Amino acid sequence: MKELCIEYGFTSLNHVGEELCGDNVEMCVRGDYTTLVLADGLGSGVKANILATLTSKILCTMVANEADIEECVETIIQTLPVCKERQLAYSTFSVIHVDKNGRGHLFEFDNPEAIWYHNGHTQNFPNRQPHLICGKEVFHTELELSAGDMVFVMSDGTIHAGIGQILNFGWQRKEIMEHLDNNVNDHMSARAAACLLASACNDLYLDRPGDDTTVAAIRVRPRMEVHIMVGPPVDKDKDQYYVERFMQGADKRIVCGGTSSQIVARCTGKQLKTSFDFPDRDVPPIGFIDGIDLTTEGVITLRRLLTLSEKYVSTKDLTPKTYSKKDGGSLLANIIFEEATHVVFFVGQNVNAAHQGLDIDITMKLKLVEHIAENLRRMGKEVTVNYD
């Protein structure tokens, strides 16, 4: 059985007219454990943002450092001020703390009840138990998640979506679960699933959210290591060694660049075939090599990939996170954004003779790889860059 990993993602909608979101999500990976905290500050705007940020950062730091989670919850409840008029804590929160096999805890304080996606459909956690901590009712769930499971936590902007507009009483929990059942699948990333639900809330708000709305999700999934070869190595005598390293230990292999493709084909004894289809006129066509999952052009395709990665990591971008287009950039994005958990770049630093006279140099290629790698890390991927 493959090693399991935890992936995570979230999307936020700001209250209409506000530059800052009154919700905040903090995530931390330490050792085998992933900690995710979603905090919802009372009201909206700057004050709500500050309170939610403080709450989430304090909780995430304490839990990630293996402080007893009940003590963490007790500390934050005692620390939070209480609104004199409404007698409500200034921030609510949900905390997920799980190891890479999906074992851990979920604590919830006044946020909408978390939703468990298991065996292809949503359900409630059967072992969710109330606990009285400092006079506050906090719900605790022991998590034993399986591969493919997702846990959704959210602020109350989700259940308020559409109230007084499309819906009389907002979006009920049952309807949210039905929407997830109809649209989420076992292969969808946590980021894509969270964005899908937040986008539906935005539609119900008619693009003018009446409350800060945040959806965060974690997903237990098998490890998927993707190797990407970009450019030929400096020493041509090492081509065979370079390709052998690239081919070893990968679940999927991608080659970016015409010269790189020729090297891989020669060293593996396979034929390189080129497609003449142009699904996108701005992106060169792909190629085909037996044993290689995707073969693309180099710098232009990487530029498209960087643009797509900038949108993907934006927590406010509501566009779908999977791509139906068949150009090299979209196919590459689907593999490393949605499928990969670990990405290893093999970056050759040799000057490509085909780029002579063009506005392309080795520095540009290296910077593209560095920016893409950084965005992949922001997505929660484990990234390694090897230079040859």
Side-chain angles (χ1 to χ4, degrees), residues 177-235:
M177 295 174 75
E178 287 175 354
H179 180 78
L180 291 172
D181 283 336
N182 292 332
N183 292 280
V184 171
N185 61 65
D186 292 340
H187 305 291
M188 186 175 287
S189 70
R191 174 80 176 92
C195 181
L196 183 148
L197 181 53
S199 180
C201 292
N202 190 56
D203 291 341
L204 291 173
Y205 278 124
L206 303 177
D207 295 329
R208 295 179 61 82
D211 193 4
D212 297 301
T213 304
T214 298
V215 180
I218 67 160
R219 176 186 175 217
V220 183
R221 52 159 303 171
R223 176 191 174 107
M224 166 72 79
E225 183 167 318
V226 176
H227 289 185
I228 304 176
M229 179 175 174
V230 182
V234 174
D235 187 349

Side-chain angles (χ1 to χ4, degrees), residues 32-98:
D32 287 341
Y33 279 86
T34 297
T35 306
L36 181 147
V37 180
L38 186 158
D40 179 1
L42 186 65
S44 60
V46 175
K47 184 172 74 172
N49 175 267
I50 292 172
L51 292 165
T53 300
L54 285 171
T55 300
S56 56
K57 283 185 178 293
I58 292 170
L59 269 176
C60 195
T61 300
M62 293 181 68
V63 174
N65 281 284
E66 299 299 330
D68 182 82
I69 198 158
E70 290 203 17
E71 290 182 8
C72 297
V73 173
E74 182 176 336
T75 299
I76 204 71
I77 288 176
Q78 289 177 332
T79 303
L80 290 178
V82 175
C83 175
K84 294 181 180 179
E85 295 179 3
R86 303 184 225 181
Q87 292 301 305
L88 296 173
Y90 271 124
S91 185
T92 62
F93 52 81
S94 303
V95 180
I96 301 173
H97 182 63
V98 292

